[in-house]
Amino acid sequence: MGSVVSYFDQLCGQQQKKEEERCLRANDRPFNLSYHYANNAIKTSKYNIFTFLPLNLFEQFRRLANSYFLFLFILQVKLQPSLRFWALWRRFSSRISLYLAAFIFPSTGTSRPVPAAEKHPHSMMLPPPCFTVGTVGQLIPQIASLSWFTTAVPLVLVLSITAVKDATDDINRHKSDKQVNNRKVSVLIDGELQNEKWMNVQVGDVIKLENNQFVTADLLLLSSSEPLNLVYVETAELDGETNLKVKQALTVTGEMGDSIEALASFNGKVRCEPPNNRLDKFNGTLTVDGHTYSLDNDKVLLRGCTLRNTEWCFGLVIFGGPDTKLMQNSGKTTFKRTSVDHLMNVLVLCIFGFLASMCAVLTIGNAVWEMKEGSGFTVFLPREPGVDAPLSSFLAFWSYVIVLNTVVPISLYVSVEIIRLGNSFYIDWDRKMYYPKKDTPAQARTTTLNEELGQIKYIFSDKTGTLTQNIMAFNKCSINGKNYGELLDYSGQRMEITEKTPRVDFSWNQLADPKFIFHDHSLAETVREGNLEAQAFFRLLALCHTVMPEEKKEGELYYQAQSPDEGALVTAARNFGFVFRSRTPETITVVEMGEQVIYELLAVLDFNNVRKRMSVIVRNPEGKLTLYCKGADTIIYERLHSSCNKLMGVTTGHLNEYAGEGLRTLVLANRHLDEHYIKEWMQRHHEASTAIDGREEKLDGLYEEIEKDLLLLGATAVEDKLQDGVPQTIEQLVRAGINIWVLTGDKQETAENIGYSCNMLREEMKDVFIVSANSEEGVKEELVGARRKMCPTAAEAPTVFKARAGFFWLQKTETVHDDKVNGEYALVINGHSLAFALEKDLELELLRTACMCQTVICCRVTPLQKAQVVELIKKYKQAVTLAIGDGANDVSMIKAAHIGVGISGQEGMQAVLSSDFSFAQFRYLQRLLLVHGRWSYLRMCKFLQYFFYKNFTFTFVHFWYAFFCGFSAQTVYDEWFITMYNLVYTALPVLGMSLFDQDVNDRWSFQYPKLYSPGPLNVYFNKKLFVRCMIHSCYSSLILFFIPWAAMHDTVRDDGKDIADYQSFALLAQTCLLIVVNIQLCLDTHYWTAVNQFFVWGSLAVYFATTFTMYSNGMFLIFTSTFPFIGTARNSLNQPNVWLIILLTTLLCSLPVVAFRFIVIQLHPTVNDKVRQKVRKEALPAPAPRRPPVRRISTRRSGYAFSHAQGYGDLVTSRRFLLKRPLKSRPTLFQQTDSPLAQDQPQHYRNITEEPEQPVHY
């Protein structure tokens, strides 16, 4: 649809030139409006009241089947100017049908009443008026062999159901858009603040935000109520993280404060990048009074954020509405189709070809018959001028197109939509996927992709907020060679920690955090007993950090931590008696075991990704100088004093245990310093920090000099808390044959730790390859080296298999098959390396290497790279993909995948709004796939096989009958039976099977995840099975036509009267057909319910009741031309031989199927067959018990992971940090009690420096 709209825009001259640079001026609407920038209104709906009908019908008729049935409908109802010729043709063809019917059934004689109009001795062999070729009542009588309503009613029903569903969805989108667009915000207009709707905000407006308000648009931060012009924002809508981020305004704009006069007179000019979807980058300049200042991402507030812990701030609108980065990341909503849909489209094309072939054969038969036999009728029925055999054959072709159109019944698509809708309700109603803590049920947001859930081969998952809770917990520690945090029973065995395990009582500490949980009582006792090593350990944690404290009331401490790791460590020190209370640029105040101690802060040796450590130098009240250092074990060990070798060996053992459990570790050490040395070092440090050239290198050299001969104190182990059941879920999905890739923006160390925690990375793996090169050649070398190590015999060049698919096989596909690998491997690749690997020259090498590995983790990736990885798999693997995430940075990945799943609840809703399915916890994914997905796929495949079987069988009987009616397009069944066959008689039984059938229940599905494996391989429905279904239908149709025909050819009633007429044969054939297809459905059903029984037997009862009613005297007398089969039912179905024929036909159709299936199960049983056999013999498996985590010991890797950023040493030592702007009356910062900060969860900072901005002149 988008392409069509774009085309019309071009025609109308509305195609806008692509924006290359944005230029705007503050408080100058006329200037900004001249650029025609988008306003702040958003529009996610697709239609309006005028465009709905044409656009929706256009979309629906893009489906080939709908267009096909529209074509048939036109054939049946289009008015022709001349009816005289076609009336003559009707009379001619009617006589032919009369003769042929008499030829097939040479004698007549029934006990039913004969209408006065039927005077011909063979009148009962005449087809009903509406079935003869050329009925006067039809508007194209020359080809309309069926009534128009047999096509119109189903077509209108399908279009109406789909239109109502689309309209409902779009109405909900309109409501959502209206709610967002009508939010209010304070806008500075004409020198005063006015309340305006979001939709009326324009680019260049200055707006005011207050605490807990949503950010209206993408803003340049001008000023705030906080010191240093800082603001705190929550970015859950963007990246799914609940940690607070810090943004900082320029000093030149921050000086305006909240002065309305200064802000109203502000006329700064901004030049920046055009709208784009890069959430982590922004480039631009601000020109004020002739001076130009650079702008970056730290000075911009993005739409989707929420202002926290900041009384007010002012911002300048840069991007509005659809131009905001949030909406740019939403991307275009593409219409997703399942692989079953694509296969059905191909099969429908094949069926059209097959239909044309059948019609061509019958047309040739008609021509031959007209040439050889038709001339015999000219004696008593002379032809009109112009009517000859070629014309007769041409008309017969189109007549058979209408008669045989049931090979592609439109009711198929109605039924498919109903089945998908029903299976979607099962997901919505599933209590086992309901998360009570957040009152969040699972939701099928798209109702057309259910069976695709049963065919997933690749899962792409975000980490933060998806696999993890984004909460850090101080779990264990090693102090002076002793391990704390584990609980042992009396026999020395490790005990599992549960919610019922007694917790350490911290009531002795008045400043303890009540939410902190620890279970090892021995650690608290050690600290309280005065153990010097333990106290030094926690003293380091209380001093060596960049956390900002906030104490609103006496004793109520809240920590704002740049990284959740630091928040967890400082909170642990707080509870064990070393409470970080406050800080100034020169001091740190700590309450140690109830006594307040003020340390002088001399220097902060800041963290960065190369140093992998952080240190502080402090002087205690006694004047003792100490350096406290924490960092990665591999880095700290190199700087330890030789006297620590023995302790280092013991601590290494503990670190290996922690790393094996997936915990994030840091090593702690200290060093006592000499007063004279520190004075000299501080002088050199000052000179290095103020140097113009080589500043970083000089500082690094000084840091290396002082951070040596350290004394080891111990190690910490922090748990990045996984969501409940994540390792078990991943294990189940891997056992089901699904590949799981993690795509995260986190650092490599963090991603690796989560990989081990989730059991995706394991110590027993042969190797874990790290790809982190910074050049294309380096990335290629690392990828090729990994591939050669995994499979030395593999060819150097990948083998790409090319094929064609899609409509008319116009779509070209390329497939790269996996190389066989012995052993398990994993691949971890960084974002900068991935950028090179995704280039066209290296993408196949990346694909081959990654697909050889059991686990793939991509870290430091951008949203665009996430989508590119998904597209790579889709392009070369032809496999069904699923992407799961929780933030706006996952939206592109979610939309690129075949199935998008959003995690709802604690995090933002942007991913949910773009997803096809949503729930609150990652663990529900296994139920979505292994239960709902597998059942939906199995039901859909069984439905399609059965549906094609019953309709091909129905149609093939027409085909065989054509050879006995002179190829005159006469139908073998009653017209009402044809109309009601798919809509009434066989609709509910197949729907019952497709909605309620299950091979095994949900517990067995979890017990044997291998049951899922046939889905990705398309085992249950494919082209081979479709051909087998056609052969089965052909066999059944031969039985259903020739057995009744042969049995009734010379049959008489009990009273000696003849019953071998057309109407009796039609009744017998359609009765046999209906019973046989119902028996076949019973053979296909595995799980019987009362509903299934009711539908099957009820449908048969409805058939017989309807038949006796329509064939009654009363209906004939009231509607003579509509119900011509008067008395046929009561005169045929009261004969024993008729029922014997029905029984014989049923047995001949069903017994071979039963025998064939029995032999196949005995010789080649599938996984499904084996499990079902176990189900019959074994009891129902109990729910899987909660397994304690397996204890592993790492011997090859470090458990280090620390999500800290460089630059916070400058912030905490800034002399302006504590300078407060005078406040009138500051409200409580924690009005939202469920916010992460109010719950004392770790907060997050951005990189901020306090150096004044230098104007840049261009």
Side-chain angles (χ1 to χ4, degrees):
M1 185 185 73
S3 60
V4 176
V5 175
S6 177
Y7 173 73
F8 283 114
D9 284 345
Q10 290 180 9
L11 290 181
C12 301
Q14 296 177 359
Q15 188 77 3
Q16 294 184 354
K17 185 179 180 181
K18 186 177 180 180
E19 188 176 346
E20 297 181 355
E21 183 186 56
R22 174 147 297 197
C23 178
L24 60 102
R25 188 182 297 159
N27 295 309
D28 193 346
R29 279 195 173 187
F31 175 82
N32 299 322
L33 288 173
S34 65
Y35 288 93
H36 303 290
Y37 294 138
N39 61 17
N40 202 42
I42 63 168
K43 179 177 178 291
T44 61
S45 57
K46 297 168 63 178
Y47 314 106
N48 58 41
I49 192 171
F50 301 106
T51 62
F52 172 74
L53 190 60
L55 288 181
N56 188 261
L57 289 177
F58 172 76
E59 286 183 341
Q60 292 200 58
F61 281 118
R62 290 174 66 184
R63 178 179 280 179
L64 185 61
N66 287 346
S67 300
Y68 167 68
F69 284 103
L70 179 64
F71 170 71
L72 288 183
F73 177 71
I74 292 172
L75 283 182
Q76 289 177 281
V77 303
K78 185 177 180 183
L79 183 63
Q80 295 293 330
S82 174
L83 295 179
R84 181 174 177 272
F85 170 76
W86 304 122
L88 294 174
W89 169 254
R90 179 197 62 77
R91 291 169 51 199
F92 179 69
S93 60
S94 298
R95 295 298 184 270
I96 295 176
S97 300
L98 167 66
Y99 171 79
L100 291 172
F103 177 78
I104 298 174
F105 304 110
S107 59
T108 185
T110 65
S111 59
R112 61 183 177 217
V114 179
E118 297 182 4
K119 299 299 183 181
H120 193 277
H122 295 289
S123 60
M124 295 313 297
M125 275 79 76
L126 276 170
C130 56
F131 272 47
T132 56
V133 179
T135 303
V136 178
Q138 302 296 340
L139 295 178
I140 306 184
Q142 72 276 20
I143 60 174
S145 49
L146 286 175
S147 298
W148 61 271
F149 59 80
T150 58
T151 301
V153 173
L155 179 61
V156 172
L157 182 64
V158 170
L159 297 178
S160 301
I161 291 175
T162 306
V164 169
K165 174 175 165 293
D166 291 343
T168 303
D169 292 343
D170 208 55
I171 288 172
N172 292 332
R173 284 191 285 265
H174 273 286
K175 290 180 179 178
S176 176
D177 292 346
K178 185 177 180 181
Q179 179 185 4
V180 173
N181 289 332
N182 287 331
R183 289 175 180 169
K184 295 295 185 68
V185 67
S186 297
V187 183
L188 190 59
I189 300 177
D190 297 331
E192 60 181 19
L193 288 174
Q194 299 179 12
N195 269 346
E196 284 284 346
K197 295 180 180 179
W198 278 25
M199 61 189 297
N200 297 329
V201 173
Q202 301 288 340
V203 171
D205 286 351
V206 174
I207 67 175
K208 179 183 179 181
L209 298 177
E210 296 181 349
N211 192 38
N212 294 327
Q213 274 192 337
F214 292 106
V215 177
T216 310
D218 287 356
L219 310 176
L220 170 63
L221 182 61
L222 298 178
S223 62
S224 80
S225 59
E226 299 302 299
L228 300 180
N229 304 311
L230 302 177
V231 297
Y232 303 95
V233 291
E234 184 181 280
T235 59
E237 286 288 335
L238 298 176
D239 55 19
E241 296 183 4
T242 54
N243 298 323
L244 295 189
K245 311 293 192 304
V246 174
K247 303 289 185 177
Q248 185 180 33
L250 293 168
T251 302
V252 67
T253 60
E255 292 172 350
M256 294 186 292
D258 59 350
S259 172
I260 300 300
E261 293 183 3
L263 290 164
S265 61
F266 177 66
N267 62 352
K269 191 173 183 180
V270 174
R271 289 186 177 274
C272 64
E273 60 191 17
N276 59 76
N277 63 355
R278 296 191 297 271
L279 293 171
D280 56 343
K281 290 184 179 180
F282 179 82
N283 294 313
T285 60
L286 171 66
T287 303
V288 181
D289 298 330
H291 298 286
T292 302
Y293 304 87
S294 62
L295 303 176
D296 56 27
N297 202 49
D298 286 330
K299 297 172 179 59
V300 174
L301 304 182
L302 299 182
R303 178 171 180 151
C305 299
T306 306
L307 196 66
R308 300 291 191 201
N309 302 341
T310 306
E311 184 183 359
W312 52 260
C313 73
F314 285 87
L316 175 67
V317 178
I318 300 176
F319 301 122
D323 292 342
T324 60
K325 291 182 181 287
L326 177 70
M327 298 304 295
Q328 290 282 314
N329 264 285
S330 298
K332 293 183 179 180
T333 301
T334 57
F335 183 70
K336 295 182 179 180
R337 290 188 179 274
T338 66
S339 56
V340 171
D341 275 333
H342 292 297
L343 179 58
M344 283 176 58
N345 286 336
V346 173
L347 294 181
V348 165
L349 281 177
C350 295
I351 291 172
F352 287 162
F354 184 67
L355 173 63
S357 301
M358 287 196 298
C359 293
V361 170
L362 298 180
T363 299
I364 294 172
N366 179 274
V368 172
W369 193 91
E370 286 287 346
M371 296 293 294
K372 292 186 177 181
E373 304 291 340
S375 58
F377 288 87
T378 58
V379 177
F380 59 90
L381 186 61
R383 291 189 176 122
E384 291 288 335
V387 178
D388 53 11
L391 177 60
S392 171
S393 302
F394 174 77
L395 298 176
F397 176 86
W398 295 108
S399 295
Y400 272 114
V401 167
I402 296 174
V403 171
L404 303 180
N405 76 78
T406 47
V407 289
V408 190
I410 197 168
S411 58
L412 168 67
Y413 293 95
V414 180
S415 303
V416 165
E417 294 299 325
I418 293 174
I419 292 168
R420 286 172 172 168
L421 185 63
N423 286 315
S424 298
F425 282 136
Y426 291 153
I427 296 173
D428 295 341
W429 297 339
D430 193 343
R431 293 184 178 181
K432 295 181 180 178
M433 296 175 67
Y434 171 73
Y435 190 55
K437 291 183 179 179
K438 297 294 181 182
D439 189 27
T440 306
Q443 184 179 10
R445 298 175 53 84
T446 302
T447 60
T448 58
L449 302 174
N450 304 83
E451 69 271 13
E452 195 90 320
L453 292 170
Q455 298 182 273
I456 303 299
K457 184 62 179 177
Y458 288 88
I459 292 177
F460 301 92
S461 175
D462 180 38
K463 184 194 77 69
T464 305
T466 303
L467 300 178
T468 66
Q469 301 180 38
N470 200 29
I471 296 174
M472 301 293 174
F474 183 80
N475 195 295
K476 298 178 181 180
C477 63
S478 172
I479 302 175
N480 196 30
K482 185 174 181 180
N483 189 13
Y484 295 95
E486 287 190 349
L487 298 183
L488 305 177
D489 58 18
Y490 294 106
S491 61
Q493 296 296 318
R494 183 188 182 197
M495 296 173 57
E496 182 186 0
I497 296 176
T498 65
E499 293 183 357
K500 297 181 180 180
T501 305
R503 302 176 180 179
V504 175
D505 182 13
F506 293 105
S507 59
W508 55 271
N509 184 355
Q510 298 298 321
L511 295 175
D513 182 357
K515 299 181 181 64
F516 181 79
I517 298 174
F518 202 76
H519 297 90
D520 189 352
H521 294 74
S522 64
L523 180 56
E525 294 171 0
T526 301
V527 175
R528 297 184 68 183
E529 289 172 357
N531 184 284
L532 297 179
E533 290 81 4
Q535 291 190 354
F537 180 91
F538 286 109
R539 184 178 293 113
L540 185 150
L541 294 181
L543 293 171
C544 186
H545 56 77
T546 58
V547 172
M548 307 292 187
E550 183 175 359
E551 190 169 1
K552 296 183 299 181
K553 295 181 181 179
E554 183 69 22
E556 291 187 10
L557 278 172
Y558 294 94
Y559 292 145
Q560 296 178 3
Q562 180 270 334
S563 70
D565 310 66
E566 283 210 323
L569 296 175
V570 176
T571 301
R574 168 185 176 180
N575 277 62
F576 283 101
F578 288 77
V579 183
F580 168 55
R581 191 70 177 268
S582 64
R583 78 182 322 144
T584 69
E586 297 88 5
T587 63
I588 298 177
T589 301
V590 178
V591 178
E592 298 184 355
M593 305 305 292
E595 297 182 5
Q596 180 170 298
V597 181
I598 299 177
Y599 290 87
E600 182 183 355
L601 179 61
L602 300 180
V604 175
L605 283 59
D606 206 2
F607 173 92
N608 64 38
N609 289 330
V610 177
R611 284 169 40 77
K612 294 186 179 181
R613 64 189 185 277
M614 173 192 176
S615 301
V616 295
I617 301 174
V618 297
R619 177 185 283 115
N620 66 10
E622 290 77 26
K624 190 175 182 180
L625 291 168
T626 308
L627 179 144
Y628 292 103
C629 183
K630 66 181 181 185
D633 51 292
T634 53
I635 301 297
I636 301 297
Y637 280 177
E638 296 173 355
R639 292 159 175 79
L640 291 180
H641 192 272
S642 58
S643 62
C644 299
N645 289 341
K646 183 178 180 180
L647 178 58
M648 184 173 65
V650 177
T651 305
T652 300
H654 296 158
L655 286 172
N656 290 338
E657 292 182 17
Y658 303 156
E661 296 173 18
L663 302 179
R664 304 168 69 155
T665 60
L666 288 175
V667 171
L668 312 185
N670 66 1
R671 176 190 177 188
H672 299 298
L673 301 174
D674 179 69
E675 182 74 31
H676 175 73
Y677 171 73
I678 198 64
K679 285 182 179 180
E680 185 265 337
W681 185 89
M682 288 293 293
Q683 177 63 32
R684 289 188 287 141
H685 178 268
H686 175 72
E687 294 173 357
S689 61
T690 56
I692 297 177
D693 298 326
R695 179 187 303 176
E696 295 296 330
E697 292 77 8
K698 293 178 180 179
L699 286 175
D700 286 340
L702 286 172
Y703 294 166
E704 287 287 341
E705 175 188 325
I706 199 169
E707 291 174 329
K708 63 181 182 181
D709 294 333
L710 302 175
L711 299 178
L712 180 61
L713 293 177
T716 63
V718 173
E719 179 185 5
D720 187 357
K721 277 188 170 296
L722 296 174
Q723 291 190 12
D724 294 338
V726 167
Q728 295 81 359
T729 299
I730 290 177
E731 181 183 357
Q732 284 283 83
L733 296 176
V734 170
R735 289 175 60 197
I738 300 174
N739 300 310
I740 303 178
W741 292 19
V742 175
L743 311 179
T744 177
D746 280 343
K747 294 191 301 184
Q748 177 184 323
E749 296 88 354
T750 304
E752 285 186 50
N753 270 71
I754 291 300
Y756 282 99
S757 300
C758 297
N759 205 27
M760 296 177 65
L761 299 177
R762 296 176 294 278
E763 296 296 331
E764 56 269 21
M765 284 182 164
K766 285 191 173 182
D767 205 346
V768 176
F769 300 107
I770 307 295
V771 178
S772 57
N774 293 310
S775 65
E776 183 176 351
E777 295 76 13
V779 171
K780 182 177 182 180
E781 183 179 346
E782 291 180 347
L783 289 173
V784 171
R787 174 176 57 78
R788 289 174 177 171
K789 184 173 182 179
M790 289 186 286
C791 187
T793 59
E796 286 298 317
T799 304
V800 181
F801 297 89
K802 297 184 178 181
R804 290 184 176 271
F807 278 134
F808 304 106
W809 289 266
L810 296 177
Q811 178 184 350
K812 296 180 180 180
T813 63
E814 296 177 314
T815 306
V816 178
H817 294 301
D818 294 339
D819 297 301
K820 294 184 179 180
V821 178
N822 293 323
E824 294 186 348
Y825 297 89
L827 176 69
V828 178
I829 182 169
N830 275 304
H832 56 267
S833 302
L834 185 63
F836 293 109
L838 288 171
E839 295 293 335
K840 193 166 185 64
D841 295 338
L842 283 182
E843 62 178 7
L844 288 180
E845 191 62 52
L846 170 66
L847 183 74
R848 291 182 70 193
T849 305
C851 290
M852 288 182 181
C853 300
Q854 277 64 40
T855 298
V856 177
I857 297 177
C858 303
C859 48
R860 287 295 191 194
V861 294
T862 64
L864 178 61
Q865 287 177 328
K866 291 184 178 184
Q868 288 175 330
V869 172
V870 175
E871 292 290 353
L872 182 65
I873 292 296
K874 288 173 61 179
K875 179 179 179 181
Y876 289 109
K877 285 299 179 182
Q878 311 302 322
V880 181
T881 59
L882 179 147
I884 179 170
D886 65 326
N889 57 343
D890 302 315
V891 167
S892 56
M893 172 178 72
I894 286 173
K895 290 192 172 183
H898 294 94
I899 299 287
V901 178
I903 299 292
S904 60
Q906 177 180 343
E907 293 78 19
M909 294 295 291
Q910 194 63 29
V912 172
L913 294 175
S914 304
S915 66
D916 305 305
F917 301 88
S918 66
F919 41 72
Q921 293 281 290
F922 181 84
R923 68 175 183 271
Y924 297 145
L925 184 61
Q926 64 172 323
R927 185 168 183 85
L928 182 70
L929 300 186
L930 302 186
V931 178
H932 292 288
R934 197 179 67 83
W935 282 350
S936 296
Y937 172 67
L938 186 64
R939 291 165 180 166
M940 183 61 69
C941 293
K942 293 177 72 172
F943 164 78
L944 292 174
Q945 288 191 57
Y946 173 76
F947 210 95
F948 282 125
Y949 165 76
K950 74 182 182 69
N951 282 283
F952 270 108
T953 304
F954 176 92
T955 305
F956 280 150
V957 174
H958 277 303
F959 184 79
W960 307 130
Y961 182 62
F963 290 89
F964 293 86
C965 69
F967 307 97
S968 61
Q970 180 181 349
T971 56
V972 70
Y973 310 116
D974 174 22
E975 178 188 34
W976 285 104
F977 179 80
I978 294 175
T979 303
M980 300 176 69
Y981 177 72
N982 281 311
L983 294 180
V984 179
Y985 298 147
T986 61
L988 291 181
V990 69
L991 285 178
M993 178 187 71
S994 304
L995 290 175
F996 301 108
D997 196 43
Q998 50 184 261
D999 51 352
V1000 295
N1001 62 27
D1002 54 348
R1003 289 191 186 178
W1004 285 105
S1005 298
F1006 286 136
Q1007 187 79 7
Y1008 295 97
K1010 276 289 184 183
L1011 286 169
Y1012 187 86
S1013 57
L1017 300 176
N1018 293 314
V1019 170
Y1020 293 140
F1021 187 71
N1022 49 47
K1023 295 174 184 176
K1024 181 180 178 181
L1025 287 178
F1026 175 73
V1027 172
R1028 184 186 297 177
C1029 176
M1030 289 184 61
I1031 296 173
H1032 183 197
S1033 299
C1034 184
Y1035 166 77
S1036 296
S1037 65
L1038 288 170
I1039 299 295
L1040 287 169
F1041 177 78
F1042 286 102
I1043 295 297
W1045 175 80
M1048 290 192 67
H1049 187 66
D1050 292 319
T1051 302
V1052 294
R1053 290 167 45 88
D1054 293 340
D1055 55 8
K1057 295 182 180 180
D1058 200 359
I1059 61 171
D1061 58 80
Y1062 162 76
Q1063 293 182 348
S1064 299
F1065 174 74
L1067 174 65
L1068 178 59
Q1070 65 195 35
T1071 303
C1072 290
L1073 170 68
L1074 193 61
I1075 292 177
V1076 165
V1077 296
N1078 274 281
I1079 292 295
Q1080 181 64 41
L1081 180 134
C1082 294
L1083 294 175
D1084 289 341
T1085 302
H1086 288 145
Y1087 184 71
W1088 283 94
T1089 65
V1091 177
N1092 294 80
Q1093 297 277 3
F1094 176 76
F1095 283 169
V1096 171
W1097 301 113
S1099 295
L1100 290 174
V1102 167
Y1103 164 72
F1104 284 108
T1106 303
T1107 300
F1108 277 100
T1109 301
M1110 290 183 175
Y1111 295 177
S1112 65
N1113 295 0
M1115 295 298 291
F1116 175 79
L1117 293 175
I1118 299 172
F1119 307 102
T1120 303
S1121 62
T1122 307
F1123 301 102
F1125 278 42
I1126 178 174
T1128 304
R1130 65 173 180 267
N1131 286 283
S1132 296
L1133 297 180
N1134 63 356
Q1135 298 300 308
N1137 57 348
V1138 172
W1139 289 102
L1140 286 174
I1141 294 170
I1142 294 174
L1143 177 63
L1144 177 62
T1145 304
T1146 303
L1147 291 176
L1148 288 176
C1149 288
S1150 304
L1151 288 180
V1153 176
V1154 175
F1156 176 77
R1157 293 184 180 180
F1158 175 79
I1159 294 172
V1160 169
I1161 290 176
Q1162 296 300 316
L1163 298 180
H1164 303 287
T1166 62
V1167 176
N1168 191 287
D1169 297 328
K1170 294 176 182 178
V1171 174
R1172 292 183 64 230
Q1173 182 67 21
K1174 286 190 175 184
V1175 170
R1176 297 189 186 100
K1177 295 181 179 179
E1178 301 178 7
L1180 186 69
R1186 185 180 182 275
R1187 293 177 297 174
V1190 180
R1191 185 171 187 176
R1192 299 181 175 90
I1193 297 179
S1194 172
T1195 57
R1196 299 181 302 173
R1197 69 180 186 88
S1198 167
Y1200 162 75
F1202 192 52
S1203 55
H1204 203 288
Q1206 183 180 3
Y1208 286 83
D1210 293 336
L1211 178 62
V1212 299
T1213 56
S1214 169
R1215 296 191 177 275
R1216 288 187 55 204
F1217 178 74
L1218 297 180
L1219 296 179
K1220 287 281 186 177
R1221 186 175 288 113
L1223 301 179
K1224 299 175 183 177
S1225 59
R1226 179 159 184 168
T1228 304
L1229 294 179
F1230 295 92
Q1231 295 174 354
Q1232 184 180 359
T1233 57
D1234 60 345
S1235 70
L1237 194 60
Q1239 296 174 3
D1240 198 25
Q1241 295 178 8
Q1243 309 306 311
H1244 194 75
Y1245 279 101
R1246 281 287 188 186
N1247 187 8
I1248 302 170
T1249 59
E1250 177 44 28
E1251 297 178 3
E1253 297 82 2
Q1254 299 296 328
V1256 181
H1257 299 280
Y1258 290 94

